[in-house]
Amino acid sequence: MAVVVQDVNRADPVVIDGLARAGVATVHEAQGRTGCLASHMRPIYGGAQIAGSAVTISAPPGDNWMLHVAIEQLRDGDVLVLAPTAPCDMGYFGDLLATSAMARGCRGLVIDAGVRDIRDLTAMGFPVWSRAVSAQGTVKETLGSVNVPVVCAGQQIEAGDVIVADDDGVCVVRRAAAAEVLAKAEARLAAEEVKRKRLAAGELGLDIYDMRGRLAEKGLRYV
Amino acid sequence: MAVVVQDVNRADPVVIDGLARAGVATVHEAQGRTGCLASHMRPIYGGAQIAGSAVTISAPPGDNWMLHVAIEQLRDGDVLVLAPTAPCDMGYFGDLLATSAMARGCRGLVIDAGVRDIRDLTAMGFPVWSRAVSAQGTVKETLGSVNVPVVCAGQQIEAGDVIVADDDGVCVVRRAAAAEVLAKAEARLAAEEVKRKRLAAGELGLDIYDMRGRLAEKGLRYV
Amino acid sequence: MAVVVQDVNRADPVVIDGLARAGVATVHEAQGRTGCLASHMRPIYGGAQIAGSAVTISAPPGDNWMLHVAIEQLRDGDVLVLAPTAPCDMGYFGDLLATSAMARGCRGLVIDAGVRDIRDLTAMGFPVWSRAVSAQGTVKETLGSVNVPVVCAGQQIEAGDVIVADDDGVCVVRRAAAAEVLAKAEARLAAEEVKRKRLAAGELGLDIYDMRGRLAEKGLRYV
Amino acid sequence: MAVVVQDVNRADPVVIDGLARAGVATVHEAQGRTGCLASHMRPIYGGAQIAGSAVTISAPPGDNWMLHVAIEQLRDGDVLVLAPTAPCDMGYFGDLLATSAMARGCRGLVIDAGVRDIRDLTAMGFPVWSRAVSAQGTVKETLGSVNVPVVCAGQQIEAGDVIVADDDGVCVVRRAAAAEVLAKAEARLAAEEVKRKRLAAGELGLDIYDMRGRLAEKGLRYV
Amino acid sequence: MAVVVQDVNRADPVVIDGLARAGVATVHEAQGRTGCLASHMRPIYGGAQIAGSAVTISAPPGDNWMLHVAIEQLRDGDVLVLAPTAPCDMGYFGDLLATSAMARGCRGLVIDAGVRDIRDLTAMGFPVWSRAVSAQGTVKETLGSVNVPVVCAGQQIEAGDVIVADDDGVCVVRRAAAAEVLAKAEARLAAEEVKRKRLAAGELGLDIYDMRGRLAEKGLRYV
Amino acid sequence: MAVVVQDVNRADPVVIDGLARAGVATVHEAQGRTGCLASHMRPIYGGAQIAGSAVTISAPPGDNWMLHVAIEQLRDGDVLVLAPTAPCDMGYFGDLLATSAMARGCRGLVIDAGVRDIRDLTAMGFPVWSRAVSAQGTVKETLGSVNVPVVCAGQQIEAGDVIVADDDGVCVVRRAAAAEVLAKAEARLAAEEVKRKRLAAGELGLDIYDMRGRLAEKGLRYV
C-alpha cells in the first residue's frame, strides 16, 4: 500500500506562472467555482502568491517520515501537498525540511496539519498554507505514500495538478485543464478591469449587471 | 419577506467619529459591557479603527446578490453589515464590491461569513471584519433583505446603529444611545489616563482600586 | 480554596534566557517532545520570542480579579499564565493591566482565554499568547488562586516553571529540568546547523539520516 | 441595567399547543424559513416535542443566579430561555431548578450553555435543549436580566414569543404572528400528507413539483 | 458542468450485504485502514447497520434541488451520498424525501450537511448519517450534479462505490475492490473470534500478539 | 521516558462505590467545583454511572500500543484513562480490548480521543466516555507511558485517582481526598433532598436561599 510514484506529468511552466498571477479567487471562478480547499488553510505570512505542480503526500497522523521521501521527488517549481490520513494538527514541517525543499526548487507547502519554525520560514521566504501552527514534533515510524491521489482540506488532489495559493487560501486546478483555466482566468481579469473602473466612478452593480428587473420579478420590495 | 428599507436614520457624524477614536473595548465598557460581536470576527489586516452607521443585509447562505442592492443604500460614512441566514463561510465580498462600496463612501464591512481578495482589499485600505477568509464564490439567485434588523455574530443590529470596529473586534451601539455612550467613553478614557500613569509608576491595582479588604473578606489567603 | 502562594522558586535567569534564544520548537524537542501548549494559543503579534518564570493564575470564567492579585507577585523576568476554570474567551487583560505588569518586570502573558487592547499591547511591546482576542469585559466578584498548579491549554504548569513562547506557540519546561533541557537544546541547535548546510547544498535527508534501508524494510515501493 | 420585566403578554394557549403539534421544521417553513436557533442546540433526550411562551434570561457566563429570579416569573405553559452574555458551556441548570420550574408549570428549558443532572431530568420528563452537557457548576454573584430581549443561539427572542422545540432543534415564533403561523403550518401539514402518499406510491418529486422543465432550462444534462 | 450520470455500475449485491454484516470498523481495517469518513458523521439513531451502492450528489450550500434529481437515479439497494460544495449544516432532507427514496429502494442517506424530521425518519426506519441535525430549510435554485465523484467528509466517493455505515460512522469501499475487501473482512472476523475467546479467558494481548520483546527493545521500562 | 509504573495506591473500594452513587455533579460540587473534565467527553450510551481507580495512559496520537500494556496493570474496579500527547480523534479502542479489560475487572474507559465498535461495547455493557466515535484504526509503533500523571480533557489525573463518570460527564477526585469528598457529597445529597421537597411544593429558591435582599442590594429592579 505504501508507494512512491516517480513518473509524474506536470503542466506547462508558463501556464503555471500565469495561474499564479491570476490568483486563487479568479482561478477558482474561471473553473466554475470549484477547487478551493477549505477556508481553515491559512498562510503563515501575508503576501505570498504562488503556483506549482503538486507532489502529494499521504501521511499518518503525527508522522512526517514521508516528507523526506517526497523531497527527493521534487522538481523545480513544485509544491508539496500533505494530507494526513486522520485529522492532526502536529508540526510536521520546519526550517530544516524547508531548507531541503528549497534546495530542490520547491515553491511552498500546503499541509492540512501543523507547521513550525514560523519565524525562520518567514525569513527564508518559504510560504506555507496550513491548518495549524504547532511546535509539537512528529515521529518517523509508519509509511505513507507519495504522489498518490489525496484528499487535502476537502479537495481531491493528484500529483501534477496545479496548486495556486495566495492570501485567500488554496485552489487546485487539474493538470489537463490548466491551460484552458488560465485562458478563462485571463479573460475574466480583463473583464474585471473594465468593471472596476465603472464601479470606481460610482456606477452601481445593479445597473452594470442589469439586475433591477430580475430583482423585481423575484419580488424584492423597496419600502 | 424580501424588503429594502430606504429610510434609515443615522447618528450624528461627530458622535460616530468620537466612538471610532474611543475604540471597541472602551465603547463596550461604556455601555455596560454590552454590544460585542463574537470573537470569531477578526480583521483582515491590523490597525484599522473605524465607526459608521450600519447598512444591514440579511442574505441566504452562499448568495451575495443583496450586497449589490445594499451598496445603492450606502451613504457617506456607512458600514456594511452582512448576516447570513444560516452559518456560511463562503467568500461573499471581494475587491470589485469594495471598489463600488468605497465609491459610495463606505468605511468597511462586517460580515459573519467569508471574504476574499484580501491582498487587494488591504492595498485599497478597505477594512473587513469577518468569520473567515475564503475564495469560494457565491451565486445570485435568492433574495434577502436590506436594512432590516439582523443578528450578526451574536448581536442584534438595526440599520442606523453605530458599528465600531478595530483590532479587538466589533461592537454595536444603538443609534439613540450613541451620544450618551460617547460621553461615558470619553470620561472613561480620561480616568484611564490617570490610572495608567500610576500603574506605570509601579503602584498596584490592588491599592488603586482598594481591593485588599474585599479580597480578605471573601477569604483569600496568602501562604 | 483561594490561596496566593508567595514563596516561589525560579530557575536560573541565565538558563531562562538561553531557553528563550533556543525557541519553542527546539526546547520541546530537547525535552522529548513534551510541554507544548495546544495550538490554539497564538501570539497577538509576530516576532516576539521570550522565556520567563511562570506566575500562575487559576481564575473563574469571566472574572479577572486574580490578575490584580497576581501582578503583586511578579518579579523581574516573570511571565503571567492564566487558566480559566472553565472554557472562556472573554477579554481578561488589556493595556492597563499590561502597564502594571510591565512596571513589575513582566515579560508577557499566556492566557487560555481572551485578551483585548491589541493595538496598545503591540505598541507597548507586551507580548500575549491567547486563545482569543475579545473586547468583552470581565467582572471582579469571585476568588481564584495564584501560584497554584494549573492546567493551561492542555499542559500542567506550576509556579516557577519556565515558559518559552514564540511564533510557534508556547512550551513549558519544569523548573528543575531547565538547565538540562537548555544543554540538550543547545546541542540540538549546533547539530541542526551542520545539517542545515548539507541540506542547503542539496543533500537529501534520506541520505543524511540514512533512511533508505529502513524504508525498504518496512515495505516502501517505488513505482 | 439589571431588570426583571414582570408584565409579559403570552400568545393564545390553543395556538401554542397547535404549534407544538406542528413541530419545528414545519413551523419554521410556515414562517418563511426563519426562526431556527443554531443547530448546536440539541435535546438531552429524544422524543420531546413542546411549545411554550418564552421567559427570557440574560445571564453572565458561569453565573446562574438569574434562573432563580426567572422561575418566579413563570406561568403555566412557559419555557425558560437562557442566553449567556458571552459563550459558556458550564452547567447552569440541574434537577433542583427543574423541580422548581416544573412546580411553576414550566414545560422545558432552552439554554445556549450547559446543563447537568441529565439522568434525573430525563427521569422527570423535563426536556432541555442546550449547547452542552456539563457538570461544571456556576456561581451566584452577578446580576443579569429577566424578560428582556436576548439573542440565543443566533435568534433574537423576546419574552412572550413562542418557543417550539423537538428532536430537530428549536424555533422561535413572534408572539403577534403565532396564530397566522399556525394557520400556515396546518395548511402545510395537510398539503404534505397528500404529497407523502404520492411519493410513497413511487411518484417522483421531479413530476409532482413539475421540475423537469426548469432543470433543463438551467442547463442540467443527463449523460 | 451540471450533469446527471445515469449509467452507473454497482457491486454484487451479495458482496454488499456481506460488507454490511462486517461493519465499518472491520471493513476499514480489511482495506488497510482506509476509507473512513470524518468522525463528525453521526447516525440520527442507534443500531442501524447498512451497506449500499452510492448515488452521489454534489449540491450547492443551502440548495437541495439535486436530491429530487438523484432520487430518480436510485435502484434497489442504493445509498444516497450528498456533499455540499461548501460547508453547510442546513437541513437538506426530511421525511418527504425519505418517503420518496424508500419507495425507490434506498437504504439510507450519508450527508455532510444537516437533516431534519428526525422523529419521523426514526419511526420510518430510514437511517441517516450526517454532520448536523437542523430544521433550517433549503432552496431549489442552483444546479449541482448527480453520480459524479465527490469528496464527502474527507473521502473521495464515486457513484457505485459501496458505502458501509453503522454506529461507528461511515466507510467507503471502491466498487472494484468490494469482493476482495469482503474476503479480507470475513477472514478478520474469524480471527477476531478466536482472539476474543482467549482475551475473555484472561489472556493478555501482550502475550497473544507477542509484544513483550518488541516493547523492551524499544525501551519500555517497568518501575 | 517510556515507563510503566506498577506500584499504584488505590482509594478504599467502599469510598469509590459511594462516589459512584453520588454522581459527577454532586462530587464535583463537594470538592469545590473542581475536577470536571471538558464537556466534549460524552458517554457512548446513556445510563452508566461508575467510579473506579485510574490506570492512566499517555499515548502518541494514532497509536494504541500502550492500551495493551495498561490492561496488564488493571486490577478489579479500575478505570482506564487515556490521554493522547496531541489532539487525535482516531478509534484507539474497540470490542477486543474491552473484552480483555473486562476480564481484568475494568469498569470503563475515559479517553480524550476516539472509540469504535459502539454497538458491541453497548451490548457488553462496557461504558466509555470519549471525545469522538471513530472507526479509524491506529498503529502500534511508538511507546508511551502507563500510570504516569496525564492531562486528560483539561484535568491532571494521576494513577490511583478516583474517576467518577455518568451521563453528565467525567470528574476526577484526588485519591487522598476521596473519603473527605464522599462525606461532603453525602451531606450535600441529604441537604438537596430537603430542598427538593420544598421546591416541588412550590416554594421558590429566592426564598429558600434568602436571595431577595442581596439581589436588591446589587441593584436588581423589577419593572
Side-chain angles (χ1 to χ4, degrees):
Chain A
M1 312 274 309
V3 299
V4 181
V5 177
Q6 295 180 283
D7 184 22
V8 171
N9 291 319
R10 271 85 172 170
D12 178 346
V14 174
V15 170
I16 293 173
D17 290 349
L19 291 167
R21 278 191 302 274
V24 171
T26 298
V27 165
H28 128 280
E29 289 283 347
Q31 62 183 349
R33 290 184 189 142
T34 63
C36 279
L37 274 66
S39 65
H40 64 246
M41 298 297 287
R42 301 300 305 139
I44 59 168
Y45 58 84
Q49 183 158 338
I50 66 164
S53 302
V55 167
T56 63
I57 307 166
S58 172
D63 195 311
N64 77 344
W65 207 4
M66 285 302 111
L67 270 160
H68 289 278
V69 174
I71 284 171
E72 189 179 27
Q73 304 303 317
L74 286 169
R75 295 195 202 159
D76 196 54
D78 284 351
V79 172
L80 287 165
V81 175
L82 187 148
T85 56
C88 185
D89 69 359
M90 297 169 81
Y92 282 70
F93 187 93
D95 73 317
L96 284 182
L97 283 165
T99 300
S100 184
M102 284 184 87
R104 311 286 291 188
C106 183
R107 291 184 176 175
L109 166 68
V110 170
I111 178 167
D112 194 11
V115 62
R116 63 187 190 180
D117 298 333
I118 297 308
R119 192 156 74 164
D120 293 331
L121 296 177
T122 303
M124 294 162 68
F126 187 86
V128 178
W129 288 258
S130 72
R131 163 191 287 273
V133 172
S134 169
Q136 182 68 45
T138 54
V139 297
K140 291 173 189 31
E141 293 287 351
T142 307
L143 298 183
S145 290
V146 173
N147 283 334
V148 295
V150 295
V151 172
C152 183
Q155 290 292 340
Q156 169 101 343
I157 300 177
E158 305 200 11
D161 282 346
V162 183
I163 302 299
V164 186
D166 62 20
D167 290 348
D168 288 348
V170 185
C171 184
V172 58
V173 178
R174 301 288 155 235
R175 183 181 59 80
E180 182 191 339
V181 170
L182 176 59
K184 287 184 184 167
E186 290 179 338
R188 194 173 173 89
L189 287 171
E192 280 184 356
E193 202 44 49
V194 175
K195 284 175 202 155
R196 185 174 293 107
K197 280 180 190 148
R198 294 175 65 182
L199 292 165
E203 273 191 87
L204 287 167
L206 290 177
D207 298 314
I208 295 176
Y209 305 109
D210 197 16
M211 292 171 169
R212 293 187 194 274
R214 195 162 154 253
L215 286 166
E217 194 182 298
K218 288 254 186 179
L220 186 66
R221 287 185 307 119
Y222 285 79
V223 297
Chain B
M1 311 273 310
V3 298
V4 181
V5 178
Q6 294 180 284
D7 183 22
V8 171
N9 291 319
R10 270 84 171 171
D12 178 348
V14 173
V15 170
I16 293 173
D17 290 349
L19 292 167
R21 279 191 301 274
V24 171
T26 297
V27 165
H28 127 279
E29 289 283 347
Q31 61 183 352
R33 289 183 190 143
T34 62
C36 279
L37 275 66
S39 64
H40 65 246
M41 298 296 287
R42 301 300 305 140
I44 58 169
Y45 58 85
Q49 184 159 336
I50 67 163
S53 302
V55 168
T56 63
I57 307 166
S58 172
D63 194 310
N64 78 342
W65 206 4
M66 286 302 111
L67 271 161
H68 289 278
V69 174
I71 284 171
E72 188 178 28
Q73 304 303 317
L74 285 169
R75 295 195 201 158
D76 195 54
D78 284 350
V79 172
L80 287 166
V81 175
L82 187 148
T85 56
C88 183
D89 69 0
M90 297 169 81
Y92 282 71
F93 187 94
D95 73 318
L96 284 182
L97 283 165
T99 299
S100 183
M102 284 183 87
R104 312 287 290 191
C106 183
R107 292 184 175 174
L109 166 69
V110 171
I111 177 167
D112 194 11
V115 62
R116 63 187 190 181
D117 298 332
I118 297 307
R119 193 156 73 165
D120 294 331
L121 296 177
T122 303
M124 293 163 68
F126 186 87
V128 179
W129 288 258
S130 72
R131 163 191 288 272
V133 172
S134 170
Q136 182 68 44
T138 54
V139 297
K140 292 173 188 31
E141 293 287 352
T142 307
L143 298 184
S145 290
V146 173
N147 283 334
V148 296
V150 296
V151 172
C152 182
Q155 291 292 339
Q156 168 101 345
I157 300 178
E158 305 199 11
D161 282 346
V162 183
I163 301 299
V164 186
D166 62 20
D167 290 348
D168 288 349
V170 184
C171 184
V172 58
V173 178
R174 300 289 155 235
R175 184 181 60 81
E180 183 191 339
V181 170
L182 176 59
K184 288 184 183 167
E186 290 178 339
R188 195 174 173 90
L189 287 171
E192 280 185 356
E193 201 44 49
V194 175
K195 284 176 203 155
R196 186 174 292 109
K197 280 180 190 149
R198 293 176 65 182
L199 292 166
E203 273 192 89
L204 287 168
L206 290 178
D207 299 314
I208 295 177
Y209 305 108
D210 198 16
M211 292 170 169
R212 293 187 195 272
R214 196 163 152 251
L215 286 166
E217 193 182 296
K218 288 253 186 180
L220 186 66
R221 288 184 307 117
Y222 285 80
V223 297
Chain C
M1 311 274 310
V3 298
V4 181
V5 178
Q6 294 181 285
D7 184 21
V8 171
N9 291 321
R10 270 83 171 172
D12 178 347
V14 174
V15 170
I16 293 173
D17 289 349
L19 291 167
R21 279 191 301 275
V24 171
T26 298
V27 165
H28 127 280
E29 288 283 347
Q31 62 183 351
R33 288 182 191 144
T34 62
C36 278
L37 275 66
S39 65
H40 65 246
M41 298 297 287
R42 302 300 305 139
I44 58 168
Y45 58 84
Q49 184 159 337
I50 67 163
S53 302
V55 167
T56 63
I57 306 166
S58 172
D63 195 310
N64 77 343
W65 207 4
M66 285 302 110
L67 271 161
H68 289 278
V69 174
I71 285 172
E72 189 179 27
Q73 304 302 317
L74 286 169
R75 295 195 201 158
D76 196 54
D78 285 350
V79 172
L80 288 165
V81 175
L82 187 149
T85 56
C88 185
D89 69 359
M90 296 169 81
Y92 283 71
F93 187 94
D95 73 318
L96 285 182
L97 283 165
T99 299
S100 183
M102 285 184 87
R104 312 286 291 188
C106 184
R107 292 184 176 175
L109 166 68
V110 170
I111 178 168
D112 194 11
V115 62
R116 63 187 189 179
D117 298 332
I118 297 308
R119 190 156 76 163
D120 293 331
L121 296 177
T122 304
M124 294 162 68
F126 187 86
V128 179
W129 287 258
S130 72
R131 163 190 287 273
V133 172
S134 169
Q136 182 69 44
T138 54
V139 297
K140 291 172 189 31
E141 294 286 352
T142 307
L143 297 184
S145 290
V146 173
N147 283 334
V148 296
V150 295
V151 172
C152 183
Q155 290 293 339
Q156 168 102 344
I157 300 177
E158 304 199 11
D161 282 347
V162 183
I163 302 299
V164 186
D166 62 20
D167 289 348
D168 289 348
V170 184
C171 184
V172 58
V173 178
R174 300 289 155 235
R175 184 181 60 79
E180 183 191 339
V181 170
L182 176 58
K184 287 184 183 167
E186 288 178 339
R188 194 173 173 89
L189 286 170
E192 281 185 356
E193 202 43 49
V194 175
K195 284 176 203 155
R196 186 174 293 107
K197 280 180 190 149
R198 294 176 65 183
L199 293 165
E203 272 192 88
L204 287 169
L206 290 177
D207 299 313
I208 295 177
Y209 305 108
D210 198 15
M211 291 170 169
R212 293 187 195 273
R214 196 163 153 251
L215 286 166
E217 194 182 296
K218 288 253 186 180
L220 187 66
R221 288 185 307 119
Y222 286 79
V223 297
Chain D
M1 314 272 310
V3 298
V4 181
V5 177
Q6 294 180 283
D7 183 22
V8 171
N9 292 319
R10 270 84 171 172
D12 178 347
V14 174
V15 170
I16 293 173
D17 290 350
L19 290 167
R21 279 191 301 275
V24 171
T26 298
V27 165
H28 128 280
E29 288 283 348
Q31 62 183 350
R33 289 183 191 144
T34 62
C36 278
L37 275 65
S39 65
H40 64 247
M41 298 297 287
R42 301 300 305 141
I44 59 169
Y45 58 84
Q49 184 158 337
I50 67 164
S53 302
V55 168
T56 63
I57 306 166
S58 172
D63 195 309
N64 77 344
W65 206 5
M66 285 302 111
L67 270 160
H68 290 278
V69 174
I71 284 171
E72 189 178 27
Q73 304 303 317
L74 286 169
R75 295 195 201 160
D76 196 55
D78 283 352
V79 172
L80 288 165
V81 175
L82 188 149
T85 55
C88 184
D89 70 0
M90 296 170 81
Y92 282 70
F93 188 93
D95 72 317
L96 285 181
L97 283 165
T99 300
S100 183
M102 284 183 87
R104 312 286 292 189
C106 183
R107 293 183 175 175
L109 166 68
V110 170
I111 177 167
D112 194 11
V115 61
R116 63 187 190 179
D117 298 332
I118 297 307
R119 191 156 76 163
D120 294 332
L121 296 177
T122 303
M124 294 162 68
F126 187 86
V128 178
W129 286 258
S130 72
R131 164 189 287 272
V133 172
S134 168
Q136 181 69 44
T138 53
V139 297
K140 291 171 189 32
E141 294 288 351
T142 306
L143 297 184
S145 290
V146 173
N147 283 334
V148 296
V150 295
V151 172
C152 183
Q155 290 292 340
Q156 168 102 343
I157 300 178
E158 305 200 11
D161 282 346
V162 183
I163 302 299
V164 186
D166 62 20
D167 290 348
D168 288 349
V170 184
C171 184
V172 58
V173 178
R174 300 290 155 235
R175 184 181 60 78
E180 183 191 339
V181 171
L182 176 58
K184 287 184 184 167
E186 289 178 339
R188 195 174 173 88
L189 286 171
E192 280 185 356
E193 201 45 49
V194 174
K195 283 176 204 156
R196 186 175 293 107
K197 280 180 189 147
R198 293 176 66 180
L199 293 165
E203 273 191 88
L204 287 168
L206 290 178
D207 298 314
I208 294 177
Y209 305 108
D210 198 17
M211 292 170 168
R212 293 187 195 273
R214 196 162 153 253
L215 286 166
E217 192 182 298
K218 288 255 187 179
L220 186 67
R221 287 185 307 118
Y222 286 79
V223 296
Chain E
M1 313 270 312
V3 299
V4 182
V5 177
Q6 293 181 284
D7 183 22
V8 172
N9 291 320
R10 271 85 172 171
D12 179 346
V14 174
V15 169
I16 292 173
D17 290 349
L19 290 167
R21 278 191 303 274
V24 171
T26 298
V27 165
H28 127 280
E29 289 283 348
Q31 63 183 350
R33 289 183 191 143
T34 62
C36 279
L37 275 65
S39 65
H40 65 246
M41 298 296 287
R42 301 301 304 139
I44 58 168
Y45 58 85
Q49 184 158 338
I50 67 164
S53 301
V55 168
T56 63
I57 306 166
S58 172
D63 195 310
N64 77 343
W65 206 5
M66 285 302 112
L67 270 160
H68 289 278
V69 174
I71 284 172
E72 189 178 28
Q73 304 303 317
L74 286 169
R75 293 196 202 158
D76 196 53
D78 284 350
V79 171
L80 288 165
V81 175
L82 187 148
T85 55
C88 184
D89 69 0
M90 297 169 81
Y92 282 71
F93 188 93
D95 73 318
L96 285 182
L97 282 165
T99 299
S100 183
M102 284 184 88
R104 312 285 292 189
C106 182
R107 292 184 176 174
L109 166 69
V110 170
I111 177 167
D112 195 11
V115 62
R116 63 187 188 179
D117 298 332
I118 297 307
R119 192 155 75 163
D120 293 331
L121 296 176
T122 304
M124 294 162 69
F126 187 86
V128 178
W129 286 258
S130 72
R131 164 190 287 272
V133 171
S134 169
Q136 181 69 43
T138 54
V139 296
K140 292 173 189 29
E141 293 288 352
T142 308
L143 298 184
S145 290
V146 173
N147 284 333
V148 296
V150 295
V151 172
C152 182
Q155 290 291 340
Q156 168 101 344
I157 300 178
E158 304 200 10
D161 281 346
V162 183
I163 301 299
V164 186
D166 62 20
D167 289 349
D168 288 349
V170 184
C171 184
V172 59
V173 179
R174 300 288 156 236
R175 184 180 60 79
E180 183 191 339
V181 171
L182 177 58
K184 287 184 184 167
E186 289 179 339
R188 195 174 172 88
L189 286 171
E192 280 186 356
E193 201 44 49
V194 175
K195 283 176 204 156
R196 187 174 292 108
K197 280 181 189 147
R198 292 176 67 182
L199 292 165
E203 272 191 271
L204 287 168
L206 290 178
D207 298 313
I208 295 177
Y209 305 108
D210 198 17
M211 292 170 169
R212 293 186 195 274
R214 196 163 153 252
L215 286 165
E217 194 182 295
K218 287 254 188 179
L220 186 66
R221 289 184 308 118
Y222 285 79
V223 298
Chain F
M1 313 272 309
V3 297
V4 181
V5 177
Q6 294 180 284
D7 184 21
V8 172
N9 291 319
R10 271 84 171 173
D12 178 348
V14 173
V15 170
I16 293 173
D17 290 349
L19 290 167
R21 279 191 301 275
V24 170
T26 297
V27 165
H28 128 278
E29 289 282 348
Q31 62 183 351
R33 289 184 190 142
T34 62
C36 279
L37 275 66
S39 64
H40 65 247
M41 298 296 287
R42 302 300 305 139
I44 58 168
Y45 57 85
Q49 184 158 337
I50 67 163
S53 301
V55 168
T56 62
I57 306 166
S58 172
D63 195 309
N64 77 343
W65 205 6
M66 285 301 112
L67 270 161
H68 289 277
V69 174
I71 284 171
E72 189 178 29
Q73 304 302 317
L74 286 169
R75 294 196 202 159
D76 195 55
D78 284 351
V79 172
L80 288 165
V81 175
L82 187 148
T85 55
C88 184
D89 70 359
M90 296 170 80
Y92 282 71
F93 188 92
D95 73 318
L96 285 183
L97 282 165
T99 300
S100 183
M102 283 184 89
R104 312 286 290 189
C106 183
R107 292 183 176 174
L109 166 68
V110 171
I111 177 167
D112 194 12
V115 61
R116 63 187 189 179
D117 298 332
I118 297 308
R119 191 155 76 164
D120 293 332
L121 296 177
T122 304
M124 294 163 69
F126 187 87
V128 179
W129 286 258
S130 72
R131 164 190 287 271
V133 171
S134 169
Q136 182 68 44
T138 54
V139 298
K140 292 171 188 33
E141 294 287 352
T142 307
L143 298 184
S145 290
V146 173
N147 284 333
V148 296
V150 295
V151 172
C152 183
Q155 290 292 339
Q156 167 101 345
I157 300 178
E158 305 199 10
D161 282 347
V162 184
I163 302 299
V164 186
D166 62 21
D167 290 348
D168 288 348
V170 184
C171 184
V172 58
V173 179
R174 300 290 155 235
R175 185 181 59 79
E180 183 191 339
V181 171
L182 177 58
K184 287 184 183 166
E186 289 178 338
R188 194 174 173 88
L189 286 171
E192 280 185 356
E193 201 45 48
V194 174
K195 284 177 204 155
R196 187 174 292 107
K197 280 180 188 147
R198 293 177 65 182
L199 293 165
E203 272 191 87
L204 287 167
L206 289 178
D207 299 312
I208 295 177
Y209 305 107
D210 198 16
M211 291 169 169
R212 292 187 196 272
R214 197 164 153 251
L215 286 166
E217 195 182 295
K218 288 255 186 178
L220 186 66
R221 288 185 306 118
Y222 285 79
V223 297

